Amino acid sequence: MINFGGYMGKLLRVNLTTRNVKEENLNEEWIKQYLGGRGIASKILIDELEPGIDPLGPKNKLIFITGPLTGTVIPTTSKIGISTKSPLTNHIGCGFGGGYFGPQLKFSGYDGIIIEGKAEKPVYIWINEGKAEIKEAAHLWGKDTQETEDLIKKELKDKNVEIVCIGQAGENKVRFAAAIHGKHFIIGRRGIGAVMGSKNLKAVAVRGTKSVSVAINTEKIWKLYDEILKIMNKNPVVAGFKLHGTAASVALVNELGFMPTKNFQEGVFDGMDKVDEQAYFNLSIKPFSCWGCPVYCRRILEMKDGSYAGTITARPEHQTTFALGSCVGLSDTGAVLKANLLCDEYGLDTISTGVVIAFSMECYQRGLIKESDTGGLSLKWGDGEVINQLIKMIAFREGFGDILAEGSKRAAAKIGKGSEKYAMQVKGLEIPGYDPRGAKGIGLNYATATRGADHNDGWTIAEELYNDKVDRLTLEGKGKLTKEIQDKAKTIDSAIFCMFALDFGYTPEFISKSLTAITGIRITPEKIFEIGERISNLERIFALREGFSGKDDILPERFIKEELPFGSSKGEKVDLKRLLGDYYKVRDWDKNGYPTKEKLKRLKLGEYIKYIDKWMNDN
Ligand code: SF4
């Protein structure tokens, strides 16, 4: 029994090698130190994984995790987190996806699932009202994510079962394969789908009818709910999201000259009007939302005419529009929708897919690869048919697709000839859709984020674009800004709120009030940030333990040496050395990028000082 509201108090541990399934109590001390979600998953990974293990080997673990707010009426709290050691980065590889799976896992009686080992043959895990079984999945292997979802629901004779599954990309261990839930919710980055594939795990299905008990009475909960709705209804960002989702920022970033174009060679895409929020607007056939969220920021689109008529897919987000649009020079609405659909069906992360294709196109542009290397394909910018052909080749690891399926960093190492400098990645993770030369805080975040170049690890863009007091191009104050947003993101991922909650007007005071009300633990705004900072430092230790150091806090040399050639950010470069110096100081890390021992002690992470000592001795 757990003494706090919001938690079911139990984790399920499933060993696929031994087929042993057991329940464990959720540790109360972890709740106080890490809240839930990402924090608890990172704690389990650092404590249970041996340093240096192969992420695609049986020693890696997958943790499906919820937060204390999951399954409660607090809006935007329905996401599921999945954490593992990433086969793309060798860092913590957690990702979050919206939808219905998280609440359903709580309703089945668990805060999370720890999956270990490797099944001999394809399987899926079925958790029904607290009872778990491992079921054979040979008949599902080879199916895409949409067919898999339909077949499992049919087999279990329950359309309310919620499923996370992989497509062919995960089965083929593409290093940036995603896990997909409910056909359109993507747990996208860092190769979580490949880790599922490496374990012969096709899917996890859950169903339950338990309720989440909370620390205050129903009347007070609904009062809190009304308070949040009032905040959200007044917020202009929510209004924009309802209409356009994250695609709302595509045109603005292009106008400001830092929309990555043709593999980050330029910052303005001439064909943006074919793939921006307005281009998508009239194609909408149905809105949809995550569990209990009133925002409905998602849409199903249908291409009505042209060569891609009949393509039905979720509206591409800002990041997909960049990766499968401007980054590969593609300005054909139908071809972008088709590319998005293929990625969702095969189970591929759209950012890494688009950026690794853009890398290959720049290699082709510069003569580093030829048709003889690509199986006869001419990798010309903006060729929709070739792009969609490459997506299939990546998912099935066919021919040249097998090289790209390794991600930009490893693909560049295979291609050689100096191609490394055109691989737009940090720590192996492909860079998202904001050129750091046009927003310096996001560049610092890419260089230092514990998950590799991840915009959600420290989305400074909200401040750099929409706060009049923050100049996106200056270096001043970006260390503090980036550190604070990175720590907030960890708390948001641990509570678990939707990442957009901070933009919807959820203040730290409000987050603290919600957490205190639900859990019954007094969690002040200061405490919230302390928890976030603890998780940032814990994950940094995970990276140091894997052999990384401050030397790996880098950006591709293009951003340091080449100026943006035209547009509103013309002439901009990134002075990363200066940004890092500022950041390490604010973080209380030494000049080599290690947390100081005093810092770790203050954050109650003293037990991990041994890894700093070991690193110092070994180097
Ligand atoms: S704002 Fe959008 S992504 Fe976030 S919880 Fe609501 S529907 Fe899901």
Side-chain angles (χ1 to χ4, degrees):
M1 269 294 288
I2 202 103
N3 289 317
F4 310 127
Y7 299 90
M8 307 311 280
K10 280 191 294 185
L11 295 172
L12 184 72
R13 191 177 288 266
V14 180
N15 188 308
L16 295 174
T17 309
T18 61
R19 296 179 82 96
N20 186 37
V21 175
K22 64 174 183 182
E23 277 181 8
E24 293 174 5
N25 290 333
L26 186 62
N27 184 320
E28 285 198 11
E29 198 47 38
W30 293 353
I31 291 173
K32 290 183 199 149
Q33 301 299 326
Y34 302 100
L35 264 183
R38 178 171 179 170
I40 286 186
S42 293
K43 168 78 179 154
I44 295 172
L45 287 178
I46 198 166
D47 287 354
E48 295 195 7
L49 293 190
E50 282 168 39
I53 58 146
D54 174 6
L56 295 176
K59 287 188 176 168
N60 198 5
K61 303 195 184 197
L62 270 165
I63 300 167
F64 284 59
I65 196 84
T66 63
L69 304 178
T70 318
T72 70
V73 298
I74 308 291
T76 78
T77 58
S78 59
K79 298 213 164 187
I80 180 71
I82 307 182
S83 203
T84 191
K85 179 176 174 183
S86 163
L88 200 57
T89 65
N90 285 328
H91 281 58
I92 293 271
C94 66
F96 293 83
Y100 295 70
F101 188 96
Q104 202 63 236
L105 180 59
K106 292 276 280 276
F107 303 154
S108 79
Y110 297 108
D111 295 296
I113 319 165
I114 302 168
I115 302 169
E116 46 197 25
K118 178 184 176 180
E120 212 176 306
K121 292 181 186 152
V123 295
Y124 72 93
I125 298 171
W126 166 221
I127 302 164
N128 185 15
E129 296 289 6
K131 196 172 157 295
E133 58 182 306
I134 299 170
K135 291 176 78 81
E136 302 314 311
H139 59 299
L140 302 172
W141 210 251
K143 306 281 186 217
D144 72 32
T145 60
Q146 306 213 350
E147 290 174 286
T148 303
E149 170 105 11
D150 290 340
L151 285 167
I152 293 178
K153 286 195 172 181
K154 202 166 152 205
E155 187 168 307
L156 298 175
K157 297 187 181 62
D158 187 344
K159 63 179 179 11
N160 294 318
V161 168
E162 299 301 342
I163 297 158
V164 168
C165 69
I166 56 170
Q168 297 91 336
E171 293 174 9
N172 293 321
K173 298 187 264 298
V174 174
R175 285 187 188 266
F176 44 91
I180 311 284
H181 157 54
K183 298 186 180 176
H184 306 298
F185 298 103
I186 320 298
I187 303 116
R189 309 219 66 199
R190 290 167 286 276
I192 287 162
V195 177
M196 284 180 71
S198 74
K199 295 187 175 304
N200 275 329
L201 178 64
K202 182 69 179 171
V204 180
V206 285
R207 178 79 171 108
T209 53
K210 295 182 173 58
S211 53
V212 181
S213 62
V214 298
I216 55 169
N217 67 33
T218 316
E219 197 188 330
K220 283 187 179 155
I221 279 283
W222 285 110
K223 251 177 107 177
L224 195 59
Y225 178 80
D226 288 341
E227 199 181 317
I228 301 176
L229 275 199
K230 268 189 209 143
I231 295 174
M232 290 173 82
N233 287 338
K234 276 196 276 176
N235 189 296
V237 179
V238 176
F241 257 65
K242 277 180 194 280
L243 279 180
H244 301 299
T246 59
S249 55
V250 166
L252 177 61
V253 171
N254 197 42
E255 198 182 304
L256 294 174
F258 66 107
M259 174 56 82
T261 301
K262 295 187 180 167
N263 201 32
F264 293 80
Q265 294 183 81
E266 297 158 13
V268 181
F269 183 44
D270 286 341
M272 203 84 250
D273 60 324
K274 298 282 190 308
V275 288
D276 66 5
E277 67 269 29
Q278 295 303 335
Y280 299 144
F281 192 68
N282 292 329
L283 304 177
S284 170
I285 54 172
K286 194 172 84 172
F288 68 106
S289 207
C290 300
W291 186 87
C293 180
V295 178
Y296 276 81
C297 76
R298 318 289 309 275
R299 293 280 184 286
I300 299 291
L301 308 186
E302 179 175 5
M303 196 65 207
K304 307 268 172 26
D305 44 37
S307 355
Y308 296 95
T311 302
I312 297 178
T313 185
R315 175 174 54 204
E317 304 285 348
H318 173 110
Q319 294 302 334
T320 299
T321 300
F322 130 77
L324 300 173
S326 63
C327 199
V328 290
L330 180 59
S331 62
D332 175 334
T333 318
V336 171
L337 295 192
K338 182 72 183 177
N340 186 42
L341 176 64
L342 289 176
C343 286
D344 290 357
E345 286 177 337
Y346 297 141
L348 282 168
D349 173 47
T350 54
I351 301 179
S352 287
T353 303
V355 176
V356 75
I357 290 176
F359 156 74
S360 70
M361 288 179 154
E362 186 167 357
C363 288
Y364 181 81
Q365 173 197 315
R366 294 179 185 277
L368 305 180
I369 52 173
K370 304 202 162 28
E371 279 84 351
S372 52
D373 302 300
T374 65
L377 290 178
S378 307
L379 305 187
K380 295 199 185 109
W381 297 108
D383 186 330
E385 275 186 34
V386 167
I387 289 161
N388 285 324
Q389 176 69 22
L390 281 172
I391 290 174
K392 182 164 179 275
M393 288 165 67
I394 290 170
F396 290 88
R397 284 189 173 269
E398 287 169 7
F400 183 60
D402 188 39
I403 294 178
L404 300 186
E406 289 291 289
S408 316
K409 186 177 178 182
R410 290 174 177 86
K414 280 199 176 160
I415 291 169
K417 303 180 195 165
S419 63
E420 291 82 355
K421 63 180 176 195
Y422 309 118
M424 296 292 116
Q425 53 80 31
V426 177
K427 302 183 176 99
L429 188 69
E430 284 71 21
I431 295 181
Y434 312 101
D435 190 309
R437 289 168 289 190
K440 303 301 192 296
I442 202 73
L444 179 57
N445 172 59
Y446 292 158
T448 57
T450 52
R451 300 188 293 194
D454 187 299
H455 57 298
N456 284 331
D457 242 4
W459 199 55
T460 58
I461 291 296
E463 294 292 315
E464 294 187 295
L465 273 195
Y466 303 112
N467 184 342
D468 293 343
K469 294 192 189 115
V470 178
D471 176 352
R472 68 188 168 92
L473 299 175
T474 189
L475 304 181
E476 279 335 300
K478 293 295 166 76
K480 182 166 182 287
L481 178 79
T482 304
K483 184 248 178 214
E484 285 179 358
I485 294 178
Q486 287 178 340
D487 291 348
K488 268 188 212 171
K490 306 293 186 308
T491 308
I492 291 287
D493 286 350
S494 300
I496 300 172
F497 283 99
C498 171
M499 189 45 77
F500 307 127
L502 288 172
D503 312 308
F504 292 168
Y506 286 39
T507 58
E509 290 68 29
F510 186 79
I511 292 172
S512 124
K513 195 168 160 183
S514 306
L515 283 167
T516 302
I518 296 292
T519 62
I521 311 167
R522 191 167 167 267
I523 303 174
T524 60
E526 296 72 36
K527 182 96 185 148
I528 284 176
F529 294 123
E530 185 191 306
I531 290 172
E533 191 177 16
R534 178 173 301 120
I535 299 165
S536 291
N537 280 272
L538 180 78
E539 293 184 359
R540 184 75 173 183
I541 297 289
F542 184 97
L544 293 177
R545 206 178 67 151
E546 291 293 330
F548 295 95
S549 72
K551 289 197 187 88
D552 300 290
D553 293 337
I554 50 173
L555 289 174
E557 79 172 37
R558 164 160 290 159
F559 302 132
I560 317 279
K561 293 191 174 160
E562 293 173 26
E563 295 178 354
L564 273 166
F566 46 78
S568 305
S569 301
K570 183 177 174 196
E572 290 295 326
K573 295 191 284 188
V574 182
D575 182 348
L576 183 62
K577 206 169 162 207
R578 193 167 143 207
L579 283 167
L580 278 177
D582 182 20
Y583 175 84
Y584 289 166
K585 214 178 280 166
V586 183
R587 273 251 173 253
D588 214 355
W589 290 354
D590 69 15
K591 64 178 182 355
N592 297 312
Y594 318 121
T596 59
K597 293 181 186 180
E598 293 67 36
K599 182 82 197 175
L600 291 181
K601 279 185 205 151
R602 272 203 302 279
L603 290 170
K604 301 199 178 90
L605 293 172
E607 65 185 296
Y608 299 109
I609 287 174
K610 62 185 178 199
Y611 294 118
I612 301 271
D613 287 338
K614 182 170 185 321
W615 207 97
M616 296 284 192
N617 284 338
D618 292 350
N619 291 276

